[in-house]
Amino acid sequence: MASNYYFVTIAILALASTVLLVHASDPSPLQDFCVAVNDAVDGVFVNGKFCKDPKMAKAEDFFFSGFLTPGNTSNPVGSYVTPVNVMQIPGLNTLGISMVRVDYTPYGQNPPHTHPRATEILVVLEGTLYVGFVTSNPENRLFTKVLYPGEAFVFPVGLIHFQFNTGKTNAVAIAALSSQNPGVITIANAVFGSNPKISDDVLTKAFQVDKNVVDYLQAQFWWPNN
Ligand SMILES: *[C@@H]1O[C@H](CO)[C@@H](O)[C@H](O)[C@H]1NC(C)=O
């Protein structure tokens, strides 16, 4: 009898330690921020979206049909990102995955940007892409590769990365991202196109340029590519 209690105790301890491991940290946020409010009447549901009664779910909740449609690349950067995340497929809610299709004109690019909530793996279907990412401080090491159809490359979560079509033809890529809502921060847009604008005093010193250079950059239209 005593040995039975011993084994039950061991089993409970093992279970408890597993549970502790699973809950060792807070879950990652699924949106940019979540300001606390005292009264739920003024609040919205966060970290994902409300869930449908599972009995009401249907195949369409898990379906998207637009991946054969090329994006409109007539814009200043010469690329277009078609997102397929929880906004397009509600069934992705809480599942930690999404996709994009990216179209590029000859010499078009997906400019330097980061996804705060996702690692990305991109595969080229057509054309030739020069791709890369830069590691964090202090190394700021650049990793690059020229990709041909059938070749894939990984952009680790949070790191600044880009794709540039070096070929004379259009290029097409598909990418998978490890979040239902990866988020996008395009570096130029965030730094020079913020609303309202970041002070000249900050940007002249940060970029070690004159005020007229900062004013010039802030006056540009920063195409919201993603
Ligand atoms: C593509 O975008 C350009 C610029 O916004 C626009 O003028 C053009 O009508 C669009 N083409 C299509 C087919 O939607």
Side-chain angles (χ1 to χ4, degrees), residues 140-218:
N140 300 130
R141 190 172 159 203
L142 173 65
F143 289 76
T144 65
K145 196 82 181 163
V146 176
L147 302 181
Y148 300 97
E151 296 182 339
F153 200 71
V154 172
F155 306 111
V157 59
L159 299 188
I160 294 178
H161 59 282
F162 58 84
Q163 301 107 37
F164 179 71
N165 180 6
T166 56
K168 294 185 175 63
T169 60
N170 290 335
V172 183
I174 297 279
L177 298 109
S178 60
S179 171
Q180 70 178 41
N181 182 22
V184 184
I185 300 167
T186 304
I187 307 308
N189 301 41
V191 173
F192 299 112
S194 68
N195 182 23
K197 297 207 181 316
I198 299 174
S199 148
D200 279 344
D201 294 335
V202 173
L203 294 183
T204 51
K205 194 157 278 189
F207 288 86
Q208 299 173 28
V209 293
D210 294 335
K211 183 177 176 305
N212 60 331
V213 176
V214 168
D215 291 343
Y216 173 83
L217 288 167
Q218 287 182 326

Side-chain angles (χ1 to χ4, degrees), residues 1 16 18 41 49 62 74 76 93 103 109 112 118 127-128 135 163 172 202 206 220:
M1 229 19 190
T18 308
V41 169
K49 296 174 175 291
F62 304 92
S74 300
N93 194 28
D103 290 274
Q109 66 166 285
T128 309
T135 68
Q163 301 107 37
V172 183
V202 173
Q220 304 309 304

Side-chain angles (χ1 to χ4, degrees), residues 10-226:
I10 294 292
I12 288 170
L13 283 176
L15 190 64
S17 65
T18 308
V19 169
L20 285 176
L21 279 180
V22 168
H23 294 286
S25 69
D26 292 338
S28 299
L30 289 171
Q31 65 286 309
D32 282 354
F33 50 75
C34 170
V35 179
V37 286
N38 287 327
D39 188 348
V41 169
D42 299 324
V44 295
F45 190 78
V46 297
N47 245 25
K49 296 174 175 291
F50 282 116
C51 300
K52 193 185 239 189
D53 180 341
K55 289 195 288 293
M56 308 292 282
K58 46 194 193 312
E60 281 65 32
D61 293 332
F62 304 92
F63 176 75
F64 175 80
S65 67
F67 267 127
L68 279 185
T69 312
N72 183 349
T73 52
S74 300
N75 59 60
V77 292
S79 76
Y80 191 89
V81 178
T82 304
V84 186
N85 55 46
V86 72
M87 302 302 287
Q88 289 76 30
I89 303 182
L92 284 176
N93 194 28
T94 77
L95 294 183
I97 195 167
S98 59
M99 293 187 94
V100 295
R101 169 185 170 128
V102 194
D103 290 274
Y104 312 80
T105 58
Y107 309 112
Q109 66 166 285
N110 190 1
H113 63 280
T114 84
H115 303 291
R117 292 177 285 278
T119 289
E120 173 175 352
I121 181 165
L122 175 141
V123 59
V124 175
L125 301 183
E126 285 174 38
T128 309
L129 291 181
Y130 168 72
V131 304
F133 67 83
V134 181
T135 68
S136 55
N137 296 351
E139 292 83 7
N140 300 130
R141 190 172 159 203
L142 173 65
F143 289 76
T144 65
K145 196 82 181 163
V146 176
L147 302 181
Y148 300 97
E151 296 182 339
F153 200 71
V154 172
F155 306 111
V157 59
L159 299 188
I160 294 178
H161 59 282
F162 58 84
Q163 301 107 37
F164 179 71
N165 180 6
T166 56
K168 294 185 175 63
T169 60
N170 290 335
V172 183
I174 297 279
L177 298 109
S178 60
S179 171
Q180 70 178 41
N181 182 22
V184 184
I185 300 167
T186 304
I187 307 308
N189 301 41
V191 173
F192 299 112
S194 68
N195 182 23
K197 297 207 181 316
I198 299 174
S199 148
D200 279 344
D201 294 335
V202 173
L203 294 183
T204 51
K205 194 157 278 189
F207 288 86
Q208 299 173 28
V209 293
D210 294 335
K211 183 177 176 305
N212 60 331
V213 176
V214 168
D215 291 343
Y216 173 83
L217 288 167
Q218 287 182 326
Q220 304 309 304
F221 171 64
W222 297 102
W223 174 259
N225 191 51
N226 270 264

Side-chain angles (χ1 to χ4, degrees), residues 1-13:
M1 229 19 190
S3 70
N4 276 354
Y5 281 122
Y6 174 78
F7 284 117
V8 167
T9 308
I10 294 292
I12 288 170
L13 283 176

